[in-house]
Amino acid sequence: MANVSHPRGDIASHPDAPEMRQRYDRMLGGRDVALMDGPVFLLGLYCAVSPWILHYTTSQPALVTHNLIVGIAIGLLALGFTAAPARMYGLSWAMCALGVWMIVSPWIVGSGPDAGVIWNNVVIGGLAVLLGAACATTAARSGGRP
């Protein structure tokens, strides 16, 4: 029986290989920041639903609304990071600011918050600051390219 399969050669000898390599690098350049999009979205989702998870909807109604709005804002930032990374990664520092605000918000927005509410917001805020700083440094290192 005859061998009808074509032998596969090395693609490096293909005349379009350098152009394809440059295009591939251009398309994927800077998207290592995309690893942050999922955790940022999950953090925003948790922030939005945390009052119902920790059951402080009746004792801290102002913080319920606050955490819902800030959680939605963090989630929208994550969606923006995914949809338009070249434009949105400049807003990574805004996420750091949201994180700092989450840390101090139990005392400013809340009224006599208990330790669980304080720890919840401090952890969310700390993670937002860390993820925002990681997004900002990675975007700066990659030159802000998509």
Side-chain angles (χ1 to χ4, degrees), residues 6-79:
H6 299 288
R8 295 183 184 233
D10 186 17
I11 196 164
S13 62
H14 192 278
D16 293 331
E19 180 184 346
M20 289 188 295
R21 188 172 295 115
Q22 288 173 356
R23 184 175 182 199
Y24 181 76
D25 290 341
R26 190 173 57 245
M27 293 301 288
L28 292 180
R31 285 305 294 162
D32 50 348
V33 185
L35 297 174
M36 300 293 168
D37 298 350
V40 170
F41 183 76
L42 290 176
L43 181 68
L45 182 65
Y46 174 75
C47 180
V49 299
S50 64
W52 291 275
I53 292 174
L54 297 178
H55 304 292
Y56 62 87
T57 54
T58 56
S59 64
Q60 297 290 330
L63 274 175
V64 171
T65 306
H66 170 268
N67 281 18
L68 180 64
I69 291 170
V70 173
I72 290 171
I74 292 173
L76 288 174
L77 277 173
L79 291 176

Side-chain angles (χ1 to χ4, degrees), residues 65-133:
T65 306
H66 170 268
N67 281 18
L68 180 64
I69 291 170
V70 173
I72 290 171
I74 292 173
L76 288 174
L77 277 173
L79 291 176
F81 292 162
T82 302
R87 294 182 190 153
M88 292 295 292
Y89 275 114
L91 292 176
S92 299
W93 293 107
M95 202 167 96
C96 293
L98 282 173
V100 171
W101 172 248
M102 281 298 293
I103 292 171
V104 299
S105 66
W107 296 281
I108 296 173
V109 177
S111 55
D114 63 352
V117 173
I118 292 170
W119 275 107
N120 179 59
N121 280 21
V122 167
V123 168
I124 291 172
L127 287 173
V129 169
L130 289 175
L131 288 172

